[in-house]
Amino acid sequence: MNSSRLRRALGLLRADREVLLFIAATAMLLVGAAFALARDEELAAGPWIAATALGLAYSTVTIAVALRHHRPSVDVIAWLALVGALLVREPLAGAIIAIMLFTGGLLEARASARAKRELGALAARAPRIARREDHDGVHEIPVTEVGVGDRLLVGAGEIVPVDGRLLESASFDESALSGEPMPVERPAGDDVRSGVVNAARPVRMVATETADRSAYAGVVRLVEQAQASTAPFVRLADRFALAFVPLTLAVSGLAWVLSGDPVRAVAVLVVATPCPLLLAAPIAIMSGLSRASRYGVIIKGGAALEQLAAGRVLLFDKTGTLTRGRPSISEIITADDTDADELLRLSASLDQTSAHVLAAAIVTAARDRGLTLSSASGAEEQPGYGLRGTVDRHVVRLGKAAWILEGPPPAWVRRARRRAALDGSLTVFAAVDGRPAGVLLLTDPLRADAPRMMRALRNAGITRTVLVTGDRADIAASVGRIVGTDAVYADRDPAEKLAIVQEEQATAPTIMVGDGINDAPALAAAGVGVALAARGATASAEAADVVLTSDRVDGLADAILIAHRSRRIARRAAGTGMALSAAAMALAAVGLLTPTLGAILQEGIDVAAIAMALTVLLPGRTHTVVLSEADLAAARRLYEQHTALGPLIEQVRAVADDLSGSRPDLERLRELLDRLELDLLPHERAEEEQLLPIIARALGGPDPTGAFSRTHAEIEHQVRRLRRGFDDIGEEPEPDELTDLRAGLYGLYAIMRLHNAQEEENAFSLL
């Protein structure tokens, strides 16, 4: 039996033990009550004494465990109350106290088991079999035998066995990893994670990871680690034991001395049993862990949840945290007589055969533009250089500049290199039939939801945000300005990141967010380390206290809100219960409560405190915005159009660049204006009519769509202005006419870029 199974078995045994003890004590109480109703006090005392003795044995064991761990425990009060009940011949009070103890143990075990069950359900459904497709057909193989580059077939309703890239569009149920209840549409070329369920027709994919390195295997390991690393919850009552136990003994002793009646002392001990602290706080905390798991957040224990609630300074890594962590095409620069879409189509057709991360970005870009890809033949990797193959009878090469270019670089190459240097872009050069044809520029784009997430985190109680990255200072500063961080530290290695975390930790409780191996030391040093494990488990996830299993960083804001609410309710439930217990202690001290009545009253106080603690499971304030199915469908349709129009924005700048030459291509400008009027403006009007009401309903507040309406109007105004300027020029335009047109195009480009960024942040990120 492996360690995870052994832990689960021990957990079941503990839960069963609590149930048996509770049933036994309750049965003894009822048997004694039956004898008491028959007016046989002597027979009634027997079962009640037995129940009291059982509780005494149980509390003795819990105190011994606390002593072994050098931890004070308020269970000593319950132990003294049980002993006192026997000495003053109040066996009914002792039986009620015993049931009280067993009820607490049972509820605590059940709350812990529920949280572990919801997390462990992920591990129970791990894929075991994959269907590999080759020239002999489709064969079932153990998932452990899947290799990178294998073509797999995933049937309808089946679990995706390993991480991969789709060869055709599909719909997936991703609720097991992300908590998202609605099926998610994934286009061909998109990445898909293991553990999600194919919600539509059979789909083909290419494996990009082996089973042990895939996302779902990482989640399973994280669940096992969370269960193994979560120490038994140190009950809130134990933190007050050093003060509370002497206080209770003093009040009890004083009542005895002043009245000369030991029964009063026992009554004080009975009502002083701090069950609201023993039960309410752990139940609230464990309920918070359970609720966080529904949002795709694994919190490794109650201590981590409390530290998450206490966090005030938030430190971020950049790559994969504030940015998407995977490249996408930002621009295509081609030789003078090469069409950008055709170059992308040929490149993506060849890259379909590759599992390289840049290949996935190129294929996805072609699919987004609606390009029809062809099959590639003779594809072969040239280690250290790139990929070569034949597509539609054209020999295509993709890779480094040294493999593509010969001789002095032409102007388009110099322009591409200059832009790549300014934007920090990667470059993939392409040649067709032995001739350099263009270069694809790829960047790691900012997460659309990152600025909204930062605002949500501030609303959740974060007072300072810090960006810590190993990237260049200019790129880091740009990202920091866009998302709104308070400080930026760039060009930092893991040791320097660790030092920054320790420096911030000295001033306020910290939360560190990262997803790479180089983040692991900083995550371990922070008050709370938060890792993104959506693309598999890494050293960062192993070192973290909190793990986000979905690829949405704004889940952290929800987790912090849940942590705040859980801690607040835990304190409120415990404080209210203890205040009522203190009042009962006063009544018992002056002789107004007997031990039996005190035990019954204390049981009622316990029930009230536990009921308050369980309110954590009720829906509370979160950052997540829920759209109706109709709004979701409309927003997704507009987002598809929004994505498809992305290349048109880059075409605006490309046409503006061409107008600077001595022989401007006016026909290209005419075609651009036609596309802007026929494609872009109808889309902007559709957004005005359909998307803005969705945003208003989702976000609420005063005029959340005013800025969008203003930029829609400005875009249409600029397009109309460009059309008038173009219609007014002759066949031989004057230099100042070209200058005005070029300035108008650059202005339109800037407005469209800003507008698209705003829409992706405040509208489409809601998807």
Side-chain angles (χ1 to χ4, degrees):
M1 182 180 290
N2 60 33
S3 59
S4 63
R5 289 181 180 175
L6 180 60
R7 286 192 299 273
R8 284 195 292 271
L10 291 174
L12 291 173
L13 287 173
R14 177 175 180 266
D16 290 341
R17 181 195 67 192
E18 306 295 345
V19 170
L20 291 175
L21 289 172
F22 174 78
I23 292 174
T26 303
M28 293 174 189
L29 176 67
L30 294 177
V31 170
F35 286 128
L37 290 174
R39 302 187 182 280
D40 193 334
E41 298 295 336
E42 290 186 6
L43 286 177
W48 290 341
I49 291 173
T52 304
L54 192 62
L56 191 60
Y58 178 82
S59 60
T60 301
V61 171
T62 59
I63 293 172
V65 171
L67 291 175
R68 189 175 65 187
H69 290 91
H70 306 288
R71 192 176 68 228
S73 174
V74 291
D75 285 339
V76 68
I77 298 176
W79 188 89
L80 289 173
L82 289 166
V83 171
L86 291 175
L87 293 177
V88 299
R89 298 188 179 183
E90 290 278 356
L92 177 56
I96 294 174
I97 295 171
I99 291 177
M100 191 188 309
L101 289 174
F102 298 143
T103 301
L106 178 62
L107 289 172
E108 189 174 350
R110 290 301 183 192
S112 177
R114 174 175 177 168
K116 291 183 178 181
R117 183 171 64 250
E118 291 187 1
L119 297 178
L122 293 172
R125 61 186 293 281
R128 304 284 192 275
I129 299 295
R131 291 197 281 174
R132 184 166 59 194
E133 190 176 43
D134 54 31
H135 61 278
D136 293 328
V138 178
H139 308 279
E140 285 193 354
I141 60 172
V143 70
T144 54
E145 295 182 9
V146 175
V148 175
D150 284 353
R151 290 171 65 97
L152 304 177
L153 177 67
V154 182
E158 293 182 356
I159 298 175
V160 174
V162 297
D163 293 359
R165 189 175 67 248
L166 294 173
L167 296 176
E168 51 204 14
S169 61
S171 177
F172 294 98
D173 174 5
E174 301 187 356
S175 58
L177 293 184
S178 67
E180 167 59 50
M182 300 295 294
V184 178
E185 301 293 332
R186 296 286 182 189
D190 206 1
D191 293 331
V192 61
R193 293 181 291 163
S194 61
V196 303
V197 178
N198 182 10
R201 57 182 175 78
V203 63
R204 288 174 171 79
M205 58 177 280
V206 174
T208 56
E209 288 287 1
T210 57
D212 62 327
R213 294 180 58 84
S214 290
Y216 205 83
V219 171
V220 171
R221 286 195 294 271
L222 289 169
V223 170
E224 292 180 348
Q225 182 196 1
Q227 293 175 344
S229 64
T230 302
F233 185 78
V234 179
R235 295 174 300 181
L236 186 61
D238 294 339
R239 305 180 191 179
F240 298 96
L242 290 176
F244 191 77
V245 171
L247 175 64
T248 301
L249 294 177
V251 173
S252 176
L254 188 63
W256 188 354
V257 170
L258 293 179
S259 67
D261 185 1
V263 175
R264 290 193 184 186
V266 173
V268 171
L269 291 173
V270 167
V271 295
T273 304
C275 288
L277 288 177
L278 294 170
L279 305 180
I283 288 172
I285 296 299
M286 296 305 294
S287 297
L289 301 181
S290 174
R291 187 151 190 84
S293 70
R294 301 179 191 177
Y295 290 86
V297 181
I298 296 176
I299 302 178
K300 300 179 182 178
L305 184 138
E306 291 190 84
Q307 290 171 342
L308 189 63
R312 291 295 176 266
V313 177
L314 195 64
L315 299 100
F316 286 95
D317 176 48
K318 180 182 76 69
T319 304
T321 305
L322 295 180
T323 64
R324 292 201 174 275
R326 52 179 180 266
S328 65
I329 289 184
S330 59
E331 190 175 357
I332 301 173
I333 297 177
T334 63
D336 295 338
D337 57 349
T338 302
D339 179 72
D341 280 352
E342 178 62 12
L343 178 62
L344 178 59
R345 189 188 73 83
L346 293 174
S347 301
S349 297
L350 177 59
D351 265 334
Q352 287 183 110
T353 64
S354 174
H356 195 281
V357 64
L358 297 184
I362 293 170
V363 172
T364 298
R367 298 290 189 185
D368 287 344
R369 297 193 185 193
L371 304 179
T372 302
L373 304 187
S374 303
S375 298
S377 60
E380 59 176 331
E381 297 273 358
Q382 297 291 319
Y385 290 95
L387 181 67
R388 175 169 54 196
T390 302
V391 179
D392 294 339
R393 299 183 180 179
H394 295 289
V395 177
V396 181
R397 283 189 297 164
L398 301 172
K400 292 183 176 180
W403 196 42
I404 303 297
L405 303 175
E406 295 180 0
W412 63 269
V413 172
R414 295 195 299 272
R415 184 166 71 249
R417 285 174 168 168
R418 182 172 63 253
R419 288 186 180 171
L422 289 173
D423 298 334
S425 305
L426 299 172
T427 56
V428 175
F429 286 82
V432 179
D433 296 327
R435 177 178 167 275
V439 59
L440 311 176
L441 272 61
L442 299 99
T443 58
D444 181 14
L446 185 73
R447 287 178 179 268
D449 59 339
R452 284 187 66 243
M453 176 202 65
M454 297 296 284
R455 293 192 293 271
L457 289 167
R458 291 188 186 279
N459 291 334
I462 298 300
T463 58
R464 174 175 166 81
T465 56
V466 180
L467 174 59
V468 186
T469 177
D471 212 338
R472 288 168 24 193
D474 54 342
I475 296 175
S478 176
V479 171
R481 280 194 300 270
I482 292 173
V483 301
T485 58
D486 296 312
V488 176
Y489 297 94
D491 295 313
R492 306 295 167 137
D493 61 25
E496 291 171 322
K497 287 185 178 182
L498 176 60
I500 292 170
V501 170
Q502 292 172 333
E503 181 181 339
E504 295 287 347
Q505 181 70 22
T507 61
T510 59
I511 302 171
M512 173 69 192
V513 186
D515 77 331
I517 293 175
N518 63 331
D519 299 320
L523 292 172
V528 180
V530 180
L532 279 75
R535 290 184 289 277
T538 63
S540 63
E542 300 295 325
D545 305 293
V546 179
V547 179
L548 306 181
T549 62
S550 63
D551 196 24
R552 289 184 63 88
V553 188
D554 57 358
L556 177 58
D558 289 331
I560 292 176
L561 288 172
I562 290 170
H564 278 296
R565 184 165 180 261
S566 301
R567 188 177 65 168
R568 183 174 64 252
I569 290 175
R571 291 179 174 179
R572 182 187 303 158
T576 301
M578 289 310 298
L580 293 174
S581 293
M585 285 173 63
L587 294 176
V590 297
L592 296 179
L593 283 178
T594 66
T596 299
L597 288 177
I600 294 173
L601 177 61
Q602 184 63 43
E603 189 73 20
I605 294 173
D606 295 344
V607 171
I610 291 168
M612 291 181 65
L614 288 174
T615 59
V616 173
L617 294 173
L618 299 176
R621 183 172 72 95
T622 63
H623 166 69
T624 301
V625 176
V626 179
L627 301 179
S628 68
E629 291 189 24
D631 285 350
L632 197 59
R636 281 178 172 158
R637 183 174 62 254
L638 290 169
Y639 180 64
E640 290 174 0
Q641 298 174 10
H642 169 92
T643 302
L645 288 171
L648 183 59
I649 299 177
E650 297 306 321
Q651 188 179 344
V652 170
R653 185 170 75 168
V655 171
D657 290 343
D658 289 344
L659 288 180
S660 61
S662 59
R663 299 175 61 87
D665 188 349
L666 296 181
E667 184 59 30
R668 191 179 179 195
L669 175 57
R670 184 194 306 276
E671 292 174 356
L672 172 64
L673 291 173
D674 289 343
R675 283 204 62 192
L676 291 173
E677 291 175 335
L678 295 176
D679 297 336
L680 177 67
L681 295 187
H683 170 70
E684 299 298 325
R685 295 180 192 125
E687 286 186 335
E688 184 75 22
E689 296 173 1
Q690 301 172 36
L691 183 63
L692 298 196
I694 294 173
I695 299 173
R697 285 192 293 270
L699 300 182
D703 194 21
T705 61
F708 295 105
S709 291
R710 180 66 184 88
T711 50
H712 283 157
E714 185 64 25
I715 287 171
E716 183 157 358
H717 168 68
Q718 292 296 331
V719 172
R720 300 301 184 201
R721 183 173 178 273
L722 283 166
R723 171 61 77 178
R724 289 195 301 271
F726 178 78
D727 290 342
D728 289 344
I729 65 174
E731 294 184 1
E732 296 292 334
E734 297 294 329
D736 58 340
E737 292 177 322
L738 291 178
T739 298
D740 287 342
L741 286 173
R742 189 165 62 250
L745 288 170
Y746 285 135
L748 176 62
Y749 172 77
I751 294 170
M752 291 170 68
R753 283 288 302 270
L754 176 61
H755 177 60
N756 277 14
Q758 289 175 327
E759 283 188 336
E760 289 170 3
E761 173 188 338
N762 293 300
F764 296 126
S765 68
L766 301 180
L767 301 179

